[in-house]
Amino acid sequence: MIDYMEHVLRSFEQCTGWNRDNSYENVTATSENLLSFRVPSGVKFQVSNKSTPNTFTTFELSNNKVINGSLAYLYTNCQGLENYVSNSRDILLQEASETYRQIRPLYPCHSLRSSSDGAKEFGPSSLWYGRMYYPTSTLEAMVVSRSSAQTQFVAKCISSLANASVLTLYWQKDSGQNCQEWVASTNEGLLGYRILHNFVGSQSKLNTSLYNDSSLSVGGELWFGVLNTTPACSTTLRYCTHSANTGKPLTLTLSWNPLFGHVSSTYSVKTSSGATFSSKYDFNLYSIESNLSFGCDLWRRGHTKQLDQRRTEPLDAPNTNSSVFSKERVQKKQGPKEDSPMFYHLMAGSTSSQKLIEDLNVTFASSLQKLTKEKSTIQRFENSLIDANFASVWKLSTSLRHKNLRVLWEGKYKGFLISAGAEFTGAPLELPSNLAGESKTPALIRPGKFGIQLQYST
Amino acid sequence: MSFRFNKGAFEDNSFNEQIREALTSALNSKTQSSSQTAPANTTNSAATDEVKQETRGPKRLDILKSGISVSKVNFPSTPQLEILDLDVSAQSRSLLKGICKVSCKNAMLEINTEIEANLLLLYTNDGPSFTTPRLISNDSFTVPITMTFNQIELEAITNIFVKNNSVGISFNDVNLDFDFDCSIKLLQSSIEKRLKGSMETVFKEVLPSVIFSMSQRWFTHGESTCNSASDDKSAGRQVENHSHTPRTILEDCDLEDLSPANMLRLSTLVSSRQSLSLNPTAMNTLSTIPGCLERQNLHRFNSRIPALSNFYPDFYEVESPHLKAFGRSVSTNVISSGKLEHHNALPQRVLDERSYDLKTIASVQSRIFERSSGDGTAIRRRKIKMGKKSKSKKAQSQDIENSSPTVVMPSSPSLEPSAVSTPEALHSPQPTTAVQSPELLAENSESVSIPALILPTQADHYTLPVKTSAPKLNLLEEAHYLNRKREFQKLRTSLYSPIRSNRFNLNKEMERPILEHKGLNFVGLTHGLNWGSEDLPPPYRG
């Protein structure tokens, strides 16, 4: 379950036109959400409030052996944020829960258009956030500043009595095609650079489908801890597409860490509007250790009456804002050019496209029919996702090497967002992995961690 | 006291096994305590619970992924312990202070463990998740690492303090050399550099504290040895718990370890103490009990002090006729006749009879100078030539210059061989081995030499003057220590303060004097050992 403050932050990014999925940090977000979701521990209760259109507060109590609390304030000068932030009664579950991230392909005209729109609409805005933990008196602070349409500056800091204070600075520049980030942290003097490059969507020769909605991204990161002189780097390839026949979205990633010889590949697919499956295979070239992880989401639909009501609502209703979906809606709202991004590759000036257009002219009728059919399949699927009113979701994930099973239930009940989960482990957690194999304990699966989290916001 | 290494323990493999087990347990006790604090957050590193993170205190990073095992230990040769100095009356509260040289050669040690390859993963997992940027594909693996220390050569000068219930050791001059071999060649140089850098703290802090706590366990006699694997805190607690229980430092088995020579000396002391007879066997020997100087033989001791008057004892006959008598009454006479002036000058008769030898006088003066100055500064003599034929008497060192008048010598020093031969042979310029404290000199100066110098024991000195005289003089030095009764009493009380216990009092009555004399002998013997073999005076100055 996404915290209220995180939800506000994402809404802020959405409102200012910042694409969260275009960062290398979130390149494997889909599989992370499905495989290593966070299981709450202990009891946690969170009350949030949008006191004014620009200020938000959260009070949190948690009981994890001792009772802790935290108080968070957030202020932003972003205009129109209140349309994106929704309370716990109205929020869509697929928006409040971390799940499959739908990646939109990049089209040049789309990026141009959006940037021109951004230049027209964009105003510098910023966000201040602070959270005080009790009784440890740890202060968490964050400043997010959008200085121009393509740049974002984030400063995060933790000041605590017990541990060392940490300040981390992010400088992000997203031009649509490339997203670069420079990161500096005082924790071990960590310096980092990461970049994600999106290939412009074009007609693939292998793809028989005319309606191309796939995107290919390559990214990399370089890290260096100055104080401990430890480097790290990785590179990742991500491919998102839709299944041609059924219109089901699927994502493949391949990550490689050349320094430590780690290769991990994930395959995530949304088989239906109510189910997502993901698998991940890790392999280390040096230690020849491997790991296979599975995860799935199972969504349960709620009442359809509410759904019908919501369909009749105007499109700029505040509760239609999953990052992808709301953008879709915003685009739809913006008018006649809504289809042009999809067909841009057919109208591009390249020779292949020219040829394609000629081919298209020959077999115009049948192809166009096929095109509309495929497109309608995908659109229909997406619409079903957007409009679905899910009541609860079960999440399961397991890992062969760690021999654990994690179960999480998230749902809405009378305006509360509830998330309850447990983690079962076969091997004791304290033992290192190489010892865990030796100790042939009877494979009694015992709960290592469990908890429940309640969230209410107005 | 004698230190003895049980050689058998080093020759068979038991010592190596003991070291291996002790090292393994010591190394793993630290890592276990640290790994308990470190959470296992490998599975959900992406999203650690923040509240949990806040409540947790500062924790240490744990690079080690498994325990440390010491696979091979080899000490092929016995470590050598050389006692450079031993001071018993160093401090009021310590029994013993000594300076030792420890040397160990050709040792070998091999350590196995597993380390985390990706250090950055540790740091990012350690940091708070709010400010730590997420790294993609930042996974890691464990690397088995084997570290071999070959050709370990240790040479250290240590200060040892033996206190009531513990042993404190401080390392002064440590020379440690080893060949380091690491299974990961990439890390070898950096690990070696760090090891050498941390050696100072090991020898300054770690080892002394370990030895201190270990010795505390030893002195409590194994009541906590069963828990030797437990960490130092519990051991310290146990020591506190047992601090009121009786402790025995010396036991019967310790007495069995004494050498027969020591036992003989002890028994001699005991018998002489019981019979109050100090010279049970021979009448004219200097001392039957080594380390004892009897008062009645003081004049004999004094007669061997280099002085001009001692060389011509025959000429003093008139002045001290009563000293020819021997026996018990003499000792009182010596005390009463302490007013007799001892002149470092030639008797008038000698000068009158011109029966002196210039070489003898020069040797005597040089020996006096050597004794008084102590260090090896060369003697500078002023030569005064008087006329053509007459030889000048050799000048003296500064402290005796006034006392020995320059004498105008005749041209031909023809001496009577019968009169001078005996003392010359006896006091021929030979390297002195004992050092005389100024008090002793003053004491000796009171006495007057006796004519009968040729004694059965001293007859040996003609043949082997150096070797035989050395231990004799040393024993006389011990006598000087015995005279310092006050310090000695203090020492004795401090020696046996820890064993003033019920357990000790239950022992047989007979062992008590033995124990005490063991202590006595221990004092004397150590000094005797120390000085007897040395030509130079012991480092006692300052």
Side-chain angles (χ1 to χ4, degrees):
Chain A
M1 196 69 72
I2 298 172
D3 279 351
Y4 184 73
M5 285 297 164
E6 178 74 17
H7 171 62
V8 174
L9 176 67
R10 291 187 187 191
S11 305
F12 170 81
E13 287 174 348
Q14 217 174 288
C15 179
T16 56
W18 184 261
N19 188 4
R20 184 180 181 81
D21 291 320
N22 213 15
S23 165
Y24 183 74
E25 186 173 8
N26 300 317
V27 73
T28 58
T30 297
S31 58
E32 286 287 328
N33 291 342
L34 287 165
L35 294 172
S36 54
F37 49 83
R38 205 186 74 188
V39 173
S41 65
V43 180
K44 198 170 179 182
F45 181 67
Q46 206 176 56
V47 180
S48 309
N49 182 25
K50 182 172 71 176
S51 45
T52 71
N54 288 332
T55 55
F56 304 86
T57 46
T58 291
F59 176 68
E60 187 182 284
L61 270 181
S62 64
N63 177 20
N64 188 9
K65 290 169 189 166
V66 288
I67 291 181
N68 292 308
S70 74
L71 197 57
Y73 289 100
L74 191 146
Y75 168 77
T76 176
N77 56 6
C78 174
Q79 299 300 319
L81 186 62
E82 64 270 16
N83 298 331
Y84 291 88
V85 179
S86 53
N87 60 26
S88 62
R89 184 177 293 277
D90 298 331
I91 196 169
L92 286 175
L93 191 62
Q94 57 264 43
E95 184 192 346
S97 170
E98 303 246 32
T99 179
Y100 187 89
R101 306 287 301 177
Q102 177 83 44
I103 311 297
R104 308 301 299 183
L106 176 85
Y107 298 108
C109 92
H110 173 82
S111 62
L112 279 174
R113 185 182 59 92
S114 67
S115 68
S116 65
D117 285 351
K120 201 165 55 191
E121 292 178 1
F122 183 80
S125 56
S126 51
L127 178 145
W128 287 272
Y129 158 81
R131 172 177 290 216
M132 193 77 180
Y133 285 95
Y134 298 101
T136 53
S137 299
T138 303
L139 179 72
E140 225 176 65
M142 177 170 66
V143 176
V144 182
S145 164
R146 292 293 313 274
S147 50
S148 75
Q150 290 192 347
T151 57
Q152 174 171 280
F153 173 75
V154 181
K156 290 179 175 178
C157 128
I158 275 190
S159 167
S160 70
L161 293 171
N163 298 321
S165 300
V166 181
L167 173 70
T168 308
L169 304 172
Y170 299 80
W171 177 257
Q172 298 167 317
K173 188 170 186 298
D174 185 7
S175 66
Q177 192 168 0
N178 290 311
C179 176
Q180 303 177 71
E181 287 177 70
W182 291 266
V183 186
S185 173
T186 60
N187 187 15
E188 302 300 323
L190 192 67
L191 297 174
Y193 171 73
R194 46 194 182 196
I195 182 169
L196 187 76
H197 176 77
N198 292 305
F199 291 97
V200 177
S202 64
Q203 174 68 25
S204 166
K205 290 198 173 63
L206 296 174
N207 192 359
T208 54
S209 158
L210 284 172
Y211 178 73
N212 190 0
D213 197 17
S214 63
S215 80
L216 180 68
S217 313
V218 172
E221 63 181 351
L222 287 169
W223 294 95
F224 187 71
V226 176
L227 295 186
N228 48 30
T229 63
T230 47
C233 63
S234 74
T235 177
T236 303
L237 186 138
R238 177 180 68 183
Y239 181 65
C240 298
T241 188
H242 288 267
S243 165
N245 293 325
T246 57
K248 309 284 163 55
L250 53 97
T251 303
L252 292 110
T253 64
L254 178 68
S255 301
W256 182 45
N257 188 337
L259 213 54
F260 296 102
H262 190 80
V263 180
S264 95
S265 60
T266 68
Y267 176 73
S268 311
V269 62
K270 204 160 179 59
T271 54
S272 74
S273 61
T276 318
F277 291 90
S278 178
S279 65
K280 181 181 180 185
Y281 181 67
D282 293 293
F283 180 67
N284 198 301
L285 290 175
Y286 297 150
S287 64
I288 330 180
E289 280 178 326
S290 59
N291 186 19
L292 190 59
S293 311
F294 289 106
C296 69
D297 274 0
L298 295 170
W299 299 78
R300 205 166 63 84
R301 289 175 194 276
H303 307 293
T304 49
K305 280 182 185 174
Q306 204 180 353
L307 179 75
D308 293 335
Q309 276 182 354
R310 293 162 62 88
R311 259 184 183 163
T312 58
E313 280 176 3
L315 287 172
D316 57 352
N319 50 2
T320 60
N321 42 17
S322 171
S323 65
V324 176
F325 308 138
S326 66
K327 188 177 280 182
E328 183 94 353
R329 296 218 166 176
V330 169
Q331 282 170 9
K332 274 181 187 171
K333 193 181 71 177
Q334 277 165 358
K337 288 176 74 180
E338 59 166 346
D339 285 341
S340 63
M342 297 293 178
F343 299 103
Y344 175 75
H345 61 281
L346 299 179
M347 291 175 273
S350 67
T351 53
S352 62
S353 300
Q354 292 279 351
K355 190 180 158 200
L356 191 75
I357 288 173
E358 288 169 10
D359 291 345
L360 203 65
N361 287 331
V362 175
T363 58
F364 185 73
S366 61
S367 299
L368 207 60
Q369 278 174 5
K370 195 181 171 189
L371 193 74
T372 49
K373 200 182 103 192
E374 283 182 2
K375 185 192 162 213
S376 64
T377 313
I378 295 168
Q379 289 283 2
R380 203 166 52 241
F381 185 78
E382 284 183 357
N383 282 331
S384 72
L385 267 184
I386 292 165
D387 297 331
N389 178 31
F390 294 111
S392 65
V393 58
W394 280 95
K395 295 186 179 184
L396 299 161
S397 90
T398 180
S399 161
L400 282 186
R401 198 177 125 201
H402 297 125
K403 292 195 176 65
N404 60 352
L405 173 69
R406 291 199 279 172
V407 183
L408 183 70
W409 181 87
E410 287 177 334
K412 284 209 294 186
Y413 180 74
K414 290 187 188 296
F416 280 92
L417 285 170
I418 302 165
S419 125
E423 179 171 355
F424 304 95
T425 51
L429 281 172
E430 296 83 38
L431 281 177
S433 56
N434 50 358
L435 286 181
E438 292 171 13
S439 61
K440 284 289 183 186
T441 54
L444 268 178
I445 288 186
R446 59 182 184 83
K449 179 181 175 184
F450 55 91
I452 185 164
Q453 180 181 355
L454 289 112
Q455 202 174 324
Y456 184 80
S457 59
T458 58
Chain B
M1 180 180 277
S2 58
F3 292 98
R4 199 176 60 172
F5 280 117
N6 190 6
K7 277 206 173 183
F10 290 94
E11 278 160 3
D12 63 1
N13 216 19
S14 66
F15 174 71
N16 293 339
E17 282 297 314
Q18 274 180 9
I19 282 268
R20 197 178 68 80
E21 284 168 13
L23 273 178
T24 307
S25 65
L27 291 171
N28 283 324
S29 66
K30 280 179 196 167
T31 55
Q32 274 173 8
S33 61
S34 67
S35 67
Q36 279 168 3
T37 60
N41 49 2
T42 52
T43 52
N44 50 355
S45 62
T48 47
D49 197 1
E50 271 183 50
V51 179
K52 196 178 162 191
Q53 192 125 31
E54 300 309 321
T55 54
R56 203 161 44 215
K59 58 185 170 59
R60 285 170 46 204
L61 290 177
D62 196 12
I63 184 175
L64 298 176
K65 285 293 165 185
S66 70
I68 304 171
S69 67
V70 180
S71 56
K72 280 186 203 166
V73 175
N74 191 17
F75 281 86
S77 63
T78 311
Q80 289 184 343
L81 190 70
E82 186 181 335
I83 301 169
L84 299 180
D85 186 17
L86 213 53
D87 190 359
V88 186
S89 58
Q91 288 175 1
S92 57
R93 285 170 59 201
S94 71
L95 297 185
L96 179 67
K97 176 186 161 193
I99 301 176
C100 287
K101 187 170 137 188
V102 182
S103 61
C104 178
K105 283 182 179 173
N106 272 335
M108 196 269 278
L109 200 63
E110 193 176 294
I111 293 174
N112 280 327
T113 186
E114 284 184 348
I115 59 168
E116 172 72 52
N118 193 350
L119 281 180
L120 205 59
L121 180 72
L122 289 175
Y123 289 114
T124 51
N125 284 347
D126 177 54
S129 62
F130 179 70
T131 51
T132 307
R134 201 161 69 84
L135 274 65
I136 305 295
S137 181
N138 191 20
D139 215 330
S140 177
F141 54 93
T142 59
V143 183
I145 185 167
T146 307
M147 288 184 277
T148 313
F149 303 88
N150 266 324
Q151 303 279 328
I152 304 173
E153 301 208 354
L154 172 73
E155 210 175 273
I157 308 284
T158 60
N159 280 331
I160 302 177
F161 306 92
V162 182
K163 295 199 174 175
N164 281 346
N165 54 357
S166 57
V167 175
I169 287 187
S170 68
F171 290 84
N172 281 346
D173 243 344
V174 179
N175 283 324
L176 183 69
D177 192 27
F178 53 84
D179 295 341
F180 181 68
D181 193 19
C182 181
S183 60
I184 303 174
K185 296 293 174 195
L186 193 71
L187 298 174
Q188 181 165 339
S189 61
S190 72
I191 289 180
E192 193 171 5
K193 207 187 295 173
R194 287 193 185 201
L195 274 178
K196 301 237 163 158
S198 62
M199 270 309 155
E200 191 177 349
T201 61
V202 167
F203 278 102
K204 291 275 178 205
E205 292 165 16
V206 178
L207 265 183
S209 68
V210 165
I211 291 173
F212 186 78
S213 62
M214 228 162 117
S215 70
Q216 276 186 332
R217 265 178 240 151
W218 285 342
F219 278 88
T220 51
H221 266 275
E223 280 155 312
S224 58
T225 48
C226 51
N227 301 329
S228 62
S230 64
D231 51 356
D232 293 346
K233 277 185 187 174
S234 69
R237 224 187 310 123
Q238 276 184 342
V239 166
E240 283 177 10
N241 289 340
H242 293 298
S243 59
H244 57 278
T245 59
R247 276 176 214 142
T248 311
I249 293 182
L250 295 176
E251 280 187 336
D252 297 345
C253 56
D254 293 334
L255 294 175
E256 287 166 10
D257 286 344
L258 287 175
S259 66
N262 276 344
M263 287 303 287
L264 190 64
R265 283 175 192 155
L266 285 176
S267 64
T268 317
L269 268 179
V270 169
S271 63
S272 71
R273 187 184 169 89
Q274 285 168 348
S275 64
L276 294 177
S277 156
L278 285 173
N279 45 1
T281 50
M283 195 64 185
N284 291 328
T285 49
L286 209 55
S287 165
T288 50
I289 302 170
C292 282
L293 175 69
E294 294 147 19
R295 190 71 191 204
Q296 57 187 358
N297 292 331
L298 185 63
H299 59 277
R300 228 175 284 152
F301 173 77
N302 286 336
S303 70
R304 299 171 58 199
I305 297 298
L308 281 178
S309 56
N310 284 342
F311 280 77
Y312 306 97
D314 298 335
F315 302 98
Y316 281 99
E317 278 172 338
V318 186
E319 294 165 23
S320 58
H322 57 278
L323 282 179
K324 282 185 176 181
F326 291 106
R328 218 156 276 227
S329 59
V330 175
S331 61
T332 55
N333 282 338
V334 168
I335 296 170
S336 61
S337 65
K339 290 159 194 160
L340 284 172
E341 292 293 315
H342 169 71
H343 296 290
N344 187 19
L346 291 174
Q348 190 63 37
R349 264 182 64 196
V350 180
L351 288 176
D352 292 342
E353 294 172 7
R354 295 186 175 179
S355 58
Y356 45 78
D357 184 18
L358 269 186
K359 284 180 182 171
T360 313
I361 293 169
S363 73
V364 167
Q365 303 289 30
S366 67
R367 283 185 63 193
I368 290 173
F369 175 74
E370 280 170 11
R371 278 170 175 260
S372 60
S373 66
D375 48 0
T377 51
I379 308 167
R380 294 188 305 168
R381 290 201 176 87
R382 187 185 305 141
K383 289 182 181 175
I384 304 171
K385 289 187 177 177
M386 309 276 298
K388 206 176 180 182
K389 291 181 179 178
S390 66
K391 282 184 184 173
S392 71
K393 185 183 182 284
K394 290 185 181 172
Q396 303 81 9
S397 58
Q398 52 266 35
D399 43 352
I400 53 170
E401 211 165 5
N402 44 6
S403 65
S404 62
T406 55
V407 182
V408 180
M409 310 298 277
S411 59
S412 62
S414 63
L415 296 171
E416 305 146 354
S418 62
V420 195
S421 67
T422 306
E424 167 146 19
L426 181 63
H427 297 286
S428 61
Q430 58 197 7
T432 60
T433 54
V435 166
Q436 193 155 3
S437 66
E439 304 169 26
L440 204 56
L441 256 181
E443 198 180 348
N444 295 334
S445 64
E446 295 173 356
S447 71
V448 186
S449 68
I450 52 166
L453 272 176
I454 306 173
L455 293 169
T457 51
Q458 283 173 339
D460 297 335
H461 291 211
Y462 286 95
T463 55
L464 293 169
V466 181
K467 286 173 185 171
T468 51
S469 66
K472 283 290 179 187
L473 283 177
N474 291 327
L475 297 174
L476 290 175
E477 278 296 328
E478 297 165 23
H480 159 64
Y481 269 86
L482 283 175
N483 284 335
R484 297 181 169 179
K485 287 250 174 179
R486 258 193 144 184
E487 284 187 13
F488 208 66
Q489 197 64 33
K490 201 165 63 184
L491 166 81
R492 194 183 298 171
T493 53
S494 65
L495 253 180
Y496 296 110
S497 56
I499 54 170
R500 241 188 265 126
S501 62
N502 297 333
R503 190 168 174 183
F504 177 70
N505 288 334
L506 283 177
N507 285 345
K508 288 175 189 171
E509 197 62 33
M510 219 193 91
E511 288 176 355
R512 199 164 187 171
I514 292 179
L515 277 175
E516 287 189 7
H517 288 300
K518 186 183 179 186
L520 276 180
N521 208 9
F522 148 64
V523 174
L525 277 181
T526 45
H527 284 285
L529 278 177
N530 211 4
W531 296 349
S533 57
E534 300 280 334
D535 284 342
L536 289 172
Y540 245 76
R541 279 163 286 118

